[in-house]
Every structure is written in structure tokens, then in C-alpha cells.
Amino acid sequence: MTVRKAVLPVAGLGTRFLPATKAQPKEMLPIVDKPLVQYAVEEVRASEIPLVIFVTGRGKNAIENHFDVSFELENELAGRGKQELREQMRSISSLLEIIYLRQKQPLGLGHAILTTRELVADEPFAVLLSDDVIDSRVPCLKQMMQVYEEFGASVVALQRVPRQHVSSYGVIRGSAVRNKHWNGRLFSIEDLVEKPKPREAPSDLVIIGRYILTPAIFRELAETRRGAGGEIQLTDGLRRLRAREPIYGYLFEGKRYDAGDKLGFLKATVELALKRPDMGRDFRRYLKSLDL
Ligand code: UTP
């Protein structure tokens, strides 16, 4: 079965970005001029998944408006002769089919995903956390879909991080799948631990915000008790799922920015701005002129 649905949970409170997120969603913070959430939706589209299911919450209306048609703005731009910009605005609203669901209380990522149970129904689906902006030649999700197509099992995206940083993530214990085709990038997961201390971490391979999940995850999440921070943790649900069926971890090719963190957000801004054809050269010159 192919992956036809992508879930984007955007109902979190975004406390690390307060006060910027007091009255606007974290997911609408722009890297240069594009909101985080649009990077994620474009990755879904480039991976040829036709439907996005947003899990939203209070104060997230700006996301719905962003992906809707804005006649006033389009008319205004047309009136000012800005046809190209008008076309750009229109194209955002026709990126994909989108469904919005509300998570009434932010009870955790696992809970947000569980909210989509009826809509996703009995098929595999992708999950993307828009905090993680990934710059890669082949979209990260598309790379993972190749793993799903070969094994028909859940796949989580992995990244190696320095040991002292593992305690911010879910960490895996796994063994490399010995197969030329996957070139040391694929791991069969044996266990997962949420935010371990560096000394106790089973490896330096951490889970980042891209998943392909089988629908069996719903039954496990429904039975997962609240864990760290009083939230239903996806990692706990995955741990239960692992006891029933295989899960693979995939070291994706590309660079990930943790844009949910202030420093990560700045790094993404600088590096993606440097890559922009319309401003990269000027920006590089400016950075070089700084007396650092
Ligand atoms: P985070 O752990 O980054 O939480 O959630 P957050 O609230 O967004 O940000 P901080 O940590 O307070 O700054 C990971 C993802 O899960 C979603 C978030 O929107 C984010 O995309 N999420 C989290 C939900 O949709 N619902 C929740 O109850 C919790």
C-alpha cells in the first residue's frame, strides 16, 4: 500500500519561542520569507503525497489562512501590476488537498497523532514536524518512502548527534541492515528511549521529525499512558509498536535544521539565505564584512 496521507501536528504551544509565539503560531515563523509549515507542505508535495491532515489547536488560524485563497490580497496585487507575486500567492493555496482537525488540548505529539485515527483509517501515513526543516536533494520523506516500499514497515528518520545532545531526543538502539543498497543508512530498531541521559543513551542515533507509520500505531497510542511532561509521547507508542512489529530507522541524506530552537532557527535562516539566488551573494558579502 502506498503512503497517501501526511499528518502535520501543529497544535503545540511553542513555549521555546515565546514571546514571538504568544499571538502567532510557531509554525508561521519565516525562514527568510517562507513560513516553517510551508517548507513541510512543499516536502509532502514533492514526495507525491496528495493529502495533508493538519492537527491544529487554539490560536492556529493563521495556518489555515495561509493555505487558503486570499482574494483581497490577490486583487490588490493584480491592481498594482504584481502578477508574478499574485501567481505565487495563488500557488500556495493549490499545493495540496488539506484537512484540518482540532486537538482540543495539547496533550502531546502522540495524542495529536491519535486525533487523526478516523481520518487516516487503515493505511500507512507520514508524519512531519515542521520544526525540522530539511535541506536535501531528494526530499527526506521521499527517501523514507523507498524504505517503506521495500519493507512495508514503519520508518523513522535518524540523525547522528554528539553524545551530549542526545537528551533532547528519542534515541534508538538498533543494528545496521547489511545490504549494499542501503549503504549503512538503514537500521533495524531494537528499542527506543525518550530523552535519556548521555551516559545511559543506547547510541548517538536520534529520531527527528519525519515518520512513516503503519496504522497499528493507533492502537498502541490509545493504550499509551501519559509520560514525560504529562504528555502522551510518540516515542512511548513506538516502543509498544516495536514489541509487535519491526520498525526501521533511516539516516537520511541531507541537512536538518532544528528550527524549533532559537539557535537552530538562526542557523537555518543564515544557511538558507546564503543559498538563495536572489540574495545569497549580497548576504555573504554582508556577513564577511562583520567584525566577528
Ligand atoms: P514540541 O515538542 O516542539 O512542542 O512539539 P511545541 O509546543 O511545538 O514547542 P515547545 O517545545 O513548547 O517550544 C513537536 C511537534 O508536535 C506538535 C507541535 O506543534 C510540534 O509540531 N504538538 C505537540 C502537537 O500538535 N500537540 C501537542 O500536544 C504537542
Side-chain angles (χ1 to χ4, degrees), residues 8-18 21 26-27 55-57 60 103 105-113 128-132 195 231-233 258 260-261:
L8 266 76
V10 293
L13 297 176
T15 53
R16 282 172 294 166
F17 256 104
L18 283 168
T21 48
K26 169 176 73 174
E27 297 77 10
V55 183
T56 75
K60 302 282 177 168
Q103 182 190 20
Q105 275 180 290
L107 295 178
L109 175 58
H111 181 260
I113 292 171
L128 293 90
L129 306 188
S130 55
D131 285 12
D132 282 334
K195 302 190 171 69
E231 296 190 339
I232 296 179
Q233 300 286 349
D258 178 6
D261 166 79

Side-chain angles (χ1 to χ4, degrees), residues 243-262:
R244 294 182 186 275
E245 53 178 62
I247 302 181
Y248 289 90
Y250 177 70
L251 267 174
F252 67 96
E253 286 180 65
K255 182 156 188 186
R256 163 212 171 232
Y257 301 96
D258 178 6
D261 166 79
K262 282 175 226 178

Side-chain angles (χ1 to χ4, degrees), residues 101-228:
L101 272 183
R102 289 283 276 229
Q103 182 190 20
K104 293 196 185 98
Q105 275 180 290
L107 295 178
L109 175 58
H111 181 260
I113 292 171
L114 188 56
T115 313
T116 67
R117 187 176 194 168
E118 298 292 317
L119 267 177
V120 171
D122 201 20
E123 53 182 288
F125 63 105
V127 177
L128 293 90
L129 306 188
S130 55
D131 285 12
D132 282 334
V133 175
I134 299 179
D135 184 24
S136 58
R137 198 175 47 81
V138 177
C140 177
L141 198 55
K142 195 164 187 171
Q143 297 176 40
M144 295 167 73
M145 280 163 70
Q146 289 170 6
V147 180
Y148 178 80
E149 273 154 30
E150 179 158 340
F151 296 93
S154 296
V155 191
V156 301
L158 298 177
Q159 182 180 345
R160 267 189 211 286
V161 300
R163 276 268 169 178
Q164 68 268 29
H165 294 160
V166 289
S167 37
S168 309
Y169 299 91
V171 185
I172 69 141
R173 179 159 63 79
S175 47
V177 174
R178 300 263 165 245
N179 172 332
K180 237 189 182 165
H181 177 56
W182 297 107
N183 208 9
R185 294 190 165 272
L186 192 64
F187 294 81
S188 170
I189 295 182
E190 287 145 17
D191 199 6
L192 316 95
V193 193
E194 179 70 10
K195 302 190 171 69
K197 294 198 182 99
R199 264 184 298 115
E200 290 158 15
S203 74
D204 59 353
L205 290 169
V206 306
I207 303 174
I208 59 119
R210 297 289 184 279
Y211 311 78
I212 292 176
L213 301 173
T214 62
I217 190 69
F218 290 120
R219 196 178 48 201
E220 304 309 328
L221 286 172
E223 287 173 18
T224 301
R225 288 168 190 273
R226 292 193 192 194

